[in-house]
Amino acid sequence: MPSHLRIDFVSDIACPWCAVGLGALEAALKRVAPEITAELHFQPFELNPHMPREGQDAFEHLHEKYGSTREQQAQIRETIRARGAAVGFEFRREGRSRVYNTFDAHRLLHWAALEDAAKQVALKKVLLKACHTDGENPSDPEVLARLAGEAGLDPQRARAILGSDEYAAQTRERERLYTDAGIHSVPAIIIDNKHLISGGQPVEVFERALRQIAGAAPATTALA
């Protein structure tokens, strides 16, 4: 019998590994279809919750956070770029120039989920592209409203949300739910509220995990 799974994808659009993980998960879902299908929900997590709206120089931010040099950052960028290309996601070769606050983007994602699950998926994808491919500012209300329109949502409604504190409390509540559950790094992929896969894993890892969880294969994948 076909299996249907609920997948909660806890992530931040500022996280490049979240883009890699999403691409790999979707590729894995294509491999296991139609025997296994999934309902995908994006949940909020902020890597930099105290980042000001104007953002911070990307090199300075990563150097302060991890102590990495320019050479080390370039090597990591190339690794991520190659992993992204393997699952169909394009990263800017030069990387981001700045790191921005993403809370308003999460508020829009919360609204999108209430409107239509497919539109939330579309919004997540255009937000990731704007951040990591196009180098746009995901804290700019006009950028966010335009991206909402690209995802099939009402840009005027998006502007109204961004001009208020609508969905702020709900978004904070969802963030606390996952951090209180012990999630402190992303992406964190939770399947059927029971199984956790951490990190931007390869397609094959996601495929084996999906089959295992759905009962379609022996237990060969260790889930965190």
Side-chain angles (χ1 to χ4, degrees), residues 157-176:
R157 176 75 177 108
R159 288 187 181 91
I161 293 168
L162 295 167
S164 70
D165 63 355
E166 198 169 357
Y167 302 121
Q170 295 93 325
T171 301
R172 295 289 187 208
E173 181 181 358
R174 298 301 292 178
E175 288 179 329
R176 284 193 297 270

Side-chain angles (χ1 to χ4, degrees), residues 3-31:
S3 296
H4 185 72
L5 306 174
R6 176 190 171 99
I7 300 179
D8 289 287
F9 194 96
V10 186
S11 60
D12 190 358
I13 62 165
C15 167
W17 285 110
C18 294
V20 171
L22 178 58
L25 175 62
E26 290 193 318
L29 286 168
K30 289 180 181 178
R31 289 187 183 184

